[in-house]
C-alpha cells in the first residue's frame, strides 16, 4: 500500500494513492485493463472470496488502476473512502439506494440535475420514496420540508443552471437536528473549489465526466464518504450488485485529467470572471448569474464555501426561445453541446435540453425560462470566446 502523506491538494491530485516502486518504476499509473485475476491456488481463491486475504478477484469488485483513482478522490474531498462508477448517475443511484428504503422521503434543493429528478420519480413510482424540492434559502425553509419519513437531504450547489447557492453549513445544522444524512453533488465546483464534507456532509459525489476529467472524453462518476466502513459496505452491496463500475481505461484517463485540475479550475474561473463582466454590460442580455460576484445576493455563502467562482455562467437573453435558439445557431468557436467542464467552451439551452424532463411548472419555479442559456467557459483565449459571442449577439 502506498504511504499516507499530508500533502496539499495540488500535490495529492498528482501523487495520492500511488507508489511507482510497487509498479516497476512506472511514473504513470499503469492501466490494468483486465476483467479477472489469476489465483495462485484454489485455497487462495477461497480466502479472497471469504475476505480473509486482500487481493484482486474480478474487476467489478476492484481493479488496481481504479483503486488509485478511488484513493485520490477520497483525499481530494477530505473523506475516508472513495468509489468509482460508470457515470455520475450510477454514483447518484448508488448513494440514494444506499440511504433510502421504501416509503422514505428525501429533501432536495430546488434545482437538481434532470436525470437525478428522473431517478427520484422512479423511486417514487416504484417504492413510494417521495421527495420535496425546496429553495433552501434559510435553515427554517429546509426544516419545513422535513417530515417523519425524511432520511436524507440531497443538495446541488451552485444549483444548475441558475447559479443559486445553498449554504452547506445550514443544511448540516438541520440534518444534525433531525438525524438525517447529507449528500452533495459537487460536480459544478470540483474538490479544488469546494469540499462539502468539511461543512458536515456525509457523502459527496461527482459527475467526473465534467471538471474532474476535463477533456470531454470520459463518462464517469465518483462518490466519497466520511466513514470508511460505510463506503466498504456500499462497495460490497449496491456497487457490486448493481454493477455500474468504471472501466479501468476510463479510470486511467480520469487520473490523467485530475493531475491538471487546479490549473484548469483557476483558468476556467478567471476566464468566467472576465466574461461575466462583459455579459453584464451587454445590451442584448437581461440578467447574468455567476456566484462569485459581490452583487450576487448570496455572495457571502460563495465566499464561505467556495475558493473561486468556477467556469459556469448562466444568463437570460432579451426575447424568448426563438432568440435563444437563433443565438445558439450563430455560434461557431463556442460549441452547442450539453455537458460542462471541458477545455472547449460549451453552451446549451436548459429548458429544451438538460432540463426538458423537468415539468414546466417546476422549471418556472427554478427560474429555468425559455430565454435562459448556460455557458461552460473553456480554456481558450478570452478574446476568441468573446469575439464569437459578440458575432452571435449581432445575429439576433
Ligand atoms: C450536476 C450533475 N450531476 C450529475 C450528472 C450526471 O452525470 P453523468 O452524465 O456523468 O451520468 C450531471 C450530468 O450532466 C450533472 O450536471
Amino acid at each position: 500500500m502506498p504511504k499516507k502523506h499530508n500533502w496539499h491538494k495540488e500535490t495529492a491530485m498528482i501523487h495520492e494513492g500511488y507508489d511507482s516502486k510497487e509498479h516497476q518504476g512506472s511514473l504513470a499509473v499503469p492501466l490494468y485493463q483486465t476483467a479477472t485475476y489469476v489465483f495462485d491456488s484454489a485455497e487462495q481463491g477461497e480466502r479472497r472470496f471469504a475476505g480473509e486475504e486482500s487481493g484482486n478477484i474480478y474487476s467489478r469488485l476492484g481493479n488496481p488502476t481504479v483503486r488509485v483513482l478511488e484513493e485520490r478522490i477520497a483525499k481530494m474531498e477530505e473523506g475516508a473512502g472513495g468509489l468509482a462508477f460508470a457515470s455520475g448517475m450510477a454514483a447518484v443511484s448508488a448513494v440514494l439506494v444506499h440511504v433510502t428504503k421504501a416509503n422514505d422521503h428525501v429533501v432536495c434543493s430546488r434545482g437538481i440535475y434532470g436525470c437525478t429528478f428522473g431517478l427520484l420519480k422512479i423511486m417514487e413510482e416504484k417504492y413510494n420514496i417521495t421527495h420535496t424540492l425546496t429553495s433552501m434559502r434559510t435553515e427554517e425553509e429546509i426544516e419545513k420540508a422535513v417530515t417523519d419519513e425524511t432520511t436524507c437531504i440531497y443538495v446541488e450547489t451552485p444549483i444548475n443552471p441558475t447559479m443559486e447557492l445553498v449554504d452547506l453549513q445550514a443544511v448540516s445544522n438541520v440534518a444534525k437536528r433531525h438525524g438525517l444524512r447529507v449528500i452533495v453533488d459537487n460536480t459544478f465546483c470540483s474538490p479544488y473549489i469546494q469540499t462539502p464534507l468539511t461543512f458536515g456532509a456525509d457523502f459527496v459525489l461527482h459527475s467526473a465526466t465534467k471538471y474532474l476529467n476535463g477533456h470531454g472524453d470520459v463518462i464517469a462518476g465518483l462518490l466519497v464518504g466520511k466513514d470508511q466502513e460505510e463506503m466498504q459496505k456500499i462497495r460490497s452491496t449496491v456497487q457490486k450488485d448493481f454493477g455500474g463500475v468504471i472501466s479501468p481505461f476510463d479510470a486511467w484517463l480520469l487520473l490523467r485529467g485530475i493531475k491538471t485540475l487546479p490549473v484548469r479550475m483557476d483558468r476556467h474561473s478567471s476566464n468566467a470572471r472576465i466574461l461575466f463582466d462583459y455579459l453584464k454590460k451587454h445590451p442584448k442580455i437581461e440578467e447574468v448569474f455567476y456566484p462569485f460576484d459581490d452583487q450576487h445576493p448570496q455572495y457571502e455563502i460563495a465566499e464561505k464555501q467556495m475558493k473561486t467562482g468556477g467556469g459556469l455562467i448562466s444568463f437570460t437573453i432579451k426575447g424568448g426561445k426563438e432568440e435563444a435558439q437563433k443565438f445558439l445557431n450563430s455560434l461557431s468557436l463556442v460549441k452547442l453541446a450539453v455537458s460542462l467542464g471541458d477545455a472547449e467552451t460549451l453552451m446549451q439551452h436548459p429548458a429544451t435540453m438538460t432540463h426538458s424532463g423537468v415539468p414546466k411548472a417546476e422549471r418556472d419555479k427554478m427560474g429555468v425560462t425559455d430565454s435562459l442559456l448556460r455557458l461552460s467557459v473553456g480554456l481558450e483565449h478570452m478574446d476568441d470566446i468573446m469575439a464569437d459571442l459578440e458575432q452571435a449577439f449581432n445575429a439576433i
Side-chain angles (χ1 to χ4, degrees):
M1 284 293 282
K3 256 199 314 206
K4 296 275 176 210
H5 295 270
N6 206 11
W7 285 320
H8 289 91
K9 254 188 213 178
E10 290 81 351
T11 312
M13 289 184 203
I14 298 171
H15 296 283
E16 187 70 28
Y18 182 67
D19 184 349
S20 57
K21 289 196 191 76
E22 295 171 6
H23 297 274
Q24 311 209 34
S26 176
L27 175 70
V29 176
L31 169 57
Y32 286 90
Q33 186 70 30
T34 185
T36 196
Y37 304 84
V38 180
F39 303 131
D40 291 342
S41 64
E43 289 77 10
Q44 185 187 53
E46 184 182 9
R47 287 194 300 279
R48 288 199 182 165
F49 267 89
E52 293 161 8
E53 177 187 301
S54 61
N56 298 308
I57 296 177
Y58 182 67
S59 276
R60 179 158 44 76
L61 317 183
N63 171 283
T65 310
V66 174
R67 214 165 288 130
V68 178
L69 173 65
E70 291 174 336
E71 291 209 11
R72 205 160 282 182
I73 188 68
K75 180 74 176 183
M76 286 156 62
E77 285 288 5
E78 304 190 34
L83 293 172
F85 292 86
S87 69
M89 283 317 300
V92 175
S93 320
V95 71
L96 278 174
V97 167
H98 171 71
V99 299
T100 57
K101 58 178 178 6
N103 307 315
D104 280 351
H105 174 254
V106 181
V107 173
C108 299
S109 51
R110 168 152 281 132
I112 45 172
Y113 177 58
C115 294
T116 304
F117 189 75
L119 172 67
L120 287 167
K121 273 202 319 209
I122 296 173
M123 288 166 67
E124 179 157 12
E125 280 160 20
K126 292 185 85 74
Y127 310 110
N128 192 36
I129 299 168
T130 53
H131 59 270
T132 303
L133 300 170
T134 166
S135 298
M136 297 193 171
R137 281 191 209 102
T138 59
E139 285 191 28
E140 293 70 43
E141 214 171 75
I142 305 166
E143 204 133 35
K144 245 204 272 175
V146 175
T147 71
D148 290 347
E149 280 69 45
T150 307
T151 47
C152 74
I153 307 182
Y154 187 96
V155 176
E156 278 185 30
T157 180
I159 288 177
N160 175 22
T162 53
M163 301 299 146
E164 252 183 79
L165 301 180
V166 175
D167 184 335
L168 291 171
Q169 191 59 60
V171 172
S172 297
N173 293 346
V174 175
K176 257 197 214 116
R177 285 203 286 278
H178 294 269
L180 310 175
R181 319 302 304 280
V182 175
I183 304 165
V184 179
D185 181 334
N186 201 23
T187 300
F188 267 36
C189 280
S190 89
Y192 178 66
I193 290 185
Q194 179 173 274
T195 45
L197 299 184
T198 63
F199 291 90
D202 298 283
F203 297 100
V204 56
L205 65 89
H206 289 273
S207 167
T209 312
K210 312 296 180 337
Y211 286 111
L212 283 167
N213 181 54
H215 293 75
D217 46 18
V218 165
I219 297 279
L222 293 168
L223 174 69
V224 176
K226 60 182 178 197
D227 181 331
Q228 199 171 20
E229 249 176 58
E230 188 173 21
M231 293 308 287
Q232 256 330 102
K233 176 142 193 252
I234 299 176
R235 181 193 292 285
S236 62
T237 55
V238 188
Q239 193 192 38
K240 170 172 80 70
D241 299 336
F242 277 38
V245 293
I246 195 169
S247 84
F249 182 53
D250 285 346
W252 185 83
L253 283 171
L254 250 176
L255 282 165
R256 193 160 80 147
I258 286 171
K259 285 185 189 183
T260 56
L261 181 73
V263 277
R264 286 189 284 108
M265 290 318 293
D266 281 340
R267 175 64 85 87
H268 283 301
S269 299
S270 59
N271 270 2
R273 180 66 232 191
I274 299 168
L275 262 189
F276 172 70
D277 290 334
Y278 154 77
L279 292 169
K280 225 167 52 169
K281 289 187 217 118
H282 205 284
K284 300 228 166 137
I285 283 182
E286 220 148 44
E287 241 187 311
V288 191
F289 309 98
Y290 186 64
F292 237 64
D293 160 39
D294 56 15
Q295 305 294 307
H296 190 289
Q298 295 168 302
Y299 183 54
E300 232 179 82
I301 302 175
E303 275 204 309
K304 185 169 71 170
Q305 62 195 33
M306 295 168 70
K307 182 183 166 80
T308 64
L312 287 156
I313 303 177
S314 292
F315 60 87
T316 48
I317 206 161
K318 283 186 182 156
K321 181 172 157 189
E322 196 185 324
E323 285 74 15
Q325 290 190 328
K326 203 161 176 196
F327 174 76
L328 290 173
N329 288 333
S330 308
L331 293 168
S332 165
L333 172 75
V334 174
K335 301 303 174 207
L336 174 52
V338 295
S339 202
L340 55 106
D342 293 330
E344 296 82 357
T345 298
L346 306 178
M347 203 154 197
Q348 66 116 351
H349 185 234
T352 58
M353 295 177 186
T354 48
H355 289 64
S356 55
V358 179
K360 179 149 179 8
E362 191 52 49
R363 274 207 314 265
D364 288 345
K365 275 193 221 156
M366 285 163 63
V368 180
T369 60
D370 282 351
S371 61
L372 184 81
L373 293 164
R374 189 189 74 193
L375 180 64
S376 169
V377 182
L379 305 176
E380 302 96 336
H381 195 287
M382 272 314 306
D383 294 351
D384 296 325
I385 303 174
M386 236 185 287
D388 193 37
L389 293 177
E390 192 56 33
Q391 66 78 26
F393 279 126
N394 288 338
I396 54 173

